[in-house]
Amino acid sequence: MQNGTRLAAVDLGSNSFRLEIGQVDHGQIHRTEYLKETVRQGNGLDSARNLTAEAMQRGWDALARFGERLAGFKRSQVRAVATQTLREARNREEFLLRARTILGFGIDVIPGREEARLIYQGVSHMLPHTDASDRERRLVVDIGGRSTEMIIGRALDAELMESYRVGSVAWSMKHFSEGLFTQSAFRAAEVAAKAVLDDALSSYTRDQWDVAYGASGTIGAVGDVLAAAGGEPGLITRDGLDWLVDRLLKAGSTDKLRIDGMREDRKPVIGGGVSVLRAVFDLLDIEEMRVAQGALRHGVLYELLERDESVADMRTATVARLASRFAVDAAQARRVGETAAALFVQLTPAARGGSPGSRPGRALRKLGWAAQLHEIGTLVSHSDYHKHGAYILDNTDAPGFAVNELHALGQLVLGQRGKLRKLDAALEDETFVMQLLSLRLAVILCHARRDPDPRALHLAALGARAFTIACAPDWAEAYPQSAHLLREEVLAWQKTSSWRVELSGA
């Protein structure tokens, strides 16, 4: 990526929305602007796990301000990610539909382990790079509004990642709902946090890491308070945490809390945040934790940089690992992928080359991933393998992918064969329809598991919401089974209400 290019990351957290803008300089990203809005969507989930109208409006208002600042940025320069609250919210699509329009860019809801991986990337990229630091085994902890992520890794490689549903906003609502600080409330909050985090005991034991780092909101806020009280800057100790709890107990409530180094917007969630942090210290036998400068948003920025510089980004490696894990027939996956790509380029010539800098290029890459994984479900059962494959993609951990990206791949895998009614909602997206048609035709042409005639079909758009398939002369006579399947394909599209496919030469 060219020096001077600006990149932007938007983090839709449970407590705050953040916008980080940086400038590329010889492989590093230097901050040029940072905006933070305390939105507290995490306390806007009702008993049915729906975002309230007020919580959605707070989010939209913040994104409108971010969107104004991002005017002029290209899509390839911006990535927005959403975390635990929107993972939980049953009506998230209602919020996201308008949020994407207001922001002007897509918003990816990322899985918990993907959030953990990006947090680790952000922390590690912002640490000094020396031989000693690259050898150290790192424990990274991020206590967010409704989730806590823990990661162990070395240098830039995250080796163990997990996300737990415990955070500062959720625990403050549950145990400090009236804003009162009492011994019994802290005791109950810590016991409850340990119950959720107990699984970490077996994997994050003290002998697995050398240095503990803490990232983002709660840990940064605690570090600021301890430094303002005379502690070593950037360091949190057990004694420091005990001192802070004592100060909170003496204040008695958020209204009466007066403490140097703590912002007003942090006070309502400090009780829950400190309780979770103390539970982490106790469970993992931590004596001291260093406050990291990097966070989720920095990981997102560096991932943008890496995606631009190399076609083989994290998602490509993830797809290859999934294909290997589920024993996909590599030759057939290549055959279908090459055929689908050639057909898609006939419809969208701008996609040629699969450049991540263009929307058609990105669509071609995603079609390639779907083709590589189109038989992933056969390890479960050959019968209905497309359904099994879609289920796997909707429920697997896939580093580099957002929840909605994986679902889109799953929809392509699901739709590679059979009736199209199951995809009615997705068929409103023209790019998806072109990907799907290309994949379905490729599966037909490669059904005998041999390389098809590359000149067999010519695919073209035929006005609005219609396509034409022209077969090469004598092709139907040479490949009667493929021609039969092609005629069946045209009938399948005729049964949809919104798209039409015409066939000639078969």
Side-chain angles (χ1 to χ4, degrees), residues 360-371:
R362 290 191 294 271
L364 179 61
R365 293 179 67 198
K366 291 175 181 177
L367 173 60
W369 292 332

Side-chain angles (χ1 to χ4, degrees), residues 6-26:
R6 291 185 303 162
L7 298 174
V10 180
D11 170 8
L12 282 69
S14 298
N15 190 49
S16 303
F17 285 9
R18 293 177 168 89
L19 168 63
E20 181 93 16
I21 299 176
Q23 193 168 46
V24 177
D25 182 12
H26 296 89

Side-chain angles (χ1 to χ4, degrees), residues 123 127 212-224 226 232-236 288-294:
V123 168
L127 288 172
Y213 292 94
S216 208
T218 290
I219 293 171
V222 171
D224 289 344
L226 297 183
E232 182 179 337
L235 190 70
I236 298 172
E288 62 179 38
M289 177 180 284
R290 300 178 186 179
V291 179
Q293 298 304 307

Side-chain angles (χ1 to χ4, degrees), residues 366-379:
K366 291 175 181 177
L367 173 60
W369 292 332
Q372 196 171 347
L373 299 174
H374 81 284
E375 291 187 330
I376 194 173
T378 57
L379 192 64

Side-chain angles (χ1 to χ4, degrees), residues 12 25 43 51 85 87 113 128 149 191 195 212-213 245 292 338 345 358 371 415 439 475 486 503:
L12 282 69
D25 182 12
N43 66 8
L51 280 172
T85 294
R87 286 197 289 268
R113 287 179 180 166
E149 282 67 46
V191 168
Y213 292 94
V245 170
E338 290 175 354
V345 168
S358 70
L439 180 61
W475 175 82
L486 204 55
L503 176 64

Side-chain angles (χ1 to χ4, degrees), residues 302-451:
Y302 277 98
E303 186 107 326
L304 275 174
L305 179 61
E306 291 164 7
R307 285 185 180 186
D308 178 84
E309 290 181 339
S310 173
V311 172
D313 66 19
M314 172 66 72
R315 293 170 297 176
T316 299
T318 293
V319 168
R321 281 196 295 271
L322 285 172
S324 174
R325 176 183 172 190
F326 287 92
V328 166
D329 181 341
Q332 179 68 356
R334 173 199 56 77
R335 195 177 288 124
V336 170
E338 290 175 354
T339 305
L343 291 167
F344 186 76
V345 168
Q346 289 181 22
L347 289 173
T348 314
R352 193 179 304 276
S355 169
S358 70
R359 185 177 182 184
R362 290 191 294 271
L364 179 61
R365 293 179 67 198
K366 291 175 181 177
L367 173 60
W369 292 332
Q372 196 171 347
L373 299 174
H374 81 284
E375 291 187 330
I376 194 173
T378 57
L379 192 64
V380 178
S381 171
H382 193 272
S383 175
D384 290 335
Y385 72 85
H386 57 304
K387 297 178 183 177
H388 300 313
Y391 178 84
I392 289 170
L393 290 174
D394 269 335
N395 292 277
T396 194
D397 286 319
F401 282 97
V403 172
N404 44 312
E405 280 185 308
L406 273 179
H407 182 66
L409 286 185
Q411 290 293 94
L412 286 172
V413 169
L414 177 64
Q416 67 180 283
R417 57 184 292 194
K419 297 176 182 178
L420 291 161
R421 291 175 188 166
K422 57 183 177 276
L423 301 170
D424 271 351
L427 294 180
E428 293 304 310
D429 182 340
E430 182 179 8
T431 298
F432 176 84
V433 169
M434 291 190 291
Q435 290 172 314
L436 181 64
L437 179 59
S438 301
L439 180 61
R440 287 172 67 96
L441 293 176
V443 170
I444 288 172
L445 292 175
C446 300
H447 76 94
R449 309 186 90 78
R450 60 171 177 251
D451 292 342

